[in-house]
Amino acid sequence: MYMKALKMYWNNLTLLYKIIGLFAVPLLIVVSTIFSQALFNEMADPEFSLVGYSLLTVYILLEVLIDGWNFGGIYGKNFQGIALVKASNTGMKLYGQMIVTDSLRRIVYFGLLAGICMKSVASGVIMGAVVTLAVMVSRFFPGYMSSLLLSYIAPIVSVCLVFMLYEVNPVVHWMAALGIAVFATILTVKFAVRSMERSYYDRER
């Protein structure tokens, strides 16, 4: 069942999103980090790549902004994909699993990238969780205005949380990161299922 949801998730992503969001930007972050660390290895903190971190912050903005290409308006009552949910007895469960896959993919991506450019996977998990929450809010609206607004808010919140927890005890850091990630994922799925149920039974909000 989950493999079917994974395939459904992949097919739901636009080609442009796959190229930009899944491959081009993450690759740019990794390559830029490697080169910047090689060129500026005498910096006070050689493990922290300012170039890589800056690009990672831009990636936060981009993730929120372009999510509408795939899931824009999915929580709205007029979401067009509800036809696919109604077409199968397992459609709603598949959509729920697809949302979980999207959230986990985002958290893992940011965790790995932060581990490369700032040697802090936990910080990346926090970033991914904040992006997941921002994306969740933007999905209630089919247009780009909400995504645009949240794409500016998400990096600010992420940077604040990351630097607040960057120097704390690693155990506390990881507990906070996992707590935020679990909260973001559960809340995202809860809203998705709730919205799809209302659309399924043609109920108004």
Side-chain angles (χ1 to χ4, degrees), residues 1-3 5 92-102:
M1 174 69 75
Y2 187 75
M3 290 305 297
M92 195 172 298
K93 185 176 181 179
L94 283 172
Y95 253 94
Q97 291 178 343
M98 186 175 70
I99 297 299
V100 171
T101 300
D102 180 61

Side-chain angles (χ1 to χ4, degrees), residues 153-196:
I153 296 175
I156 296 173
V157 174
S158 297
V159 169
C160 290
L161 286 174
V162 165
F163 280 100
M164 281 173 56
L165 297 168
Y166 191 64
E167 298 292 342
V168 302
N169 182 283
V171 175
V172 176
H173 196 178
W174 268 108
M175 287 179 62
L178 292 176
I180 297 171
V182 170
F183 172 77
T185 302
I186 291 176
L187 195 65
T188 299
V189 175
K190 181 178 179 180
F191 272 114
V193 173
R194 181 184 175 188
S195 298
M196 282 185 284

Side-chain angles (χ1 to χ4, degrees), residues 80-142:
Q80 295 179 352
I82 198 64
L84 295 176
V85 175
K86 291 183 176 181
S88 171
N89 293 330
T90 59
M92 195 172 298
K93 185 176 181 179
L94 283 172
Y95 253 94
Q97 291 178 343
M98 186 175 70
I99 297 299
V100 171
T101 300
D102 180 61
S103 299
L104 293 179
R105 191 278 306 166
R106 185 174 291 106
I107 290 169
V108 169
Y109 256 55
F110 276 94
L112 293 175
L113 291 172
I116 293 171
C117 71
M118 55 188 296
K119 298 297 184 290
S120 178
V121 176
S123 294
V125 171
I126 292 173
M127 291 179 181
V130 171
V131 174
T132 297
L133 289 172
V135 162
M136 178 196 71
V137 176
S138 71
R139 287 175 179 170
F140 280 96
F141 311 97

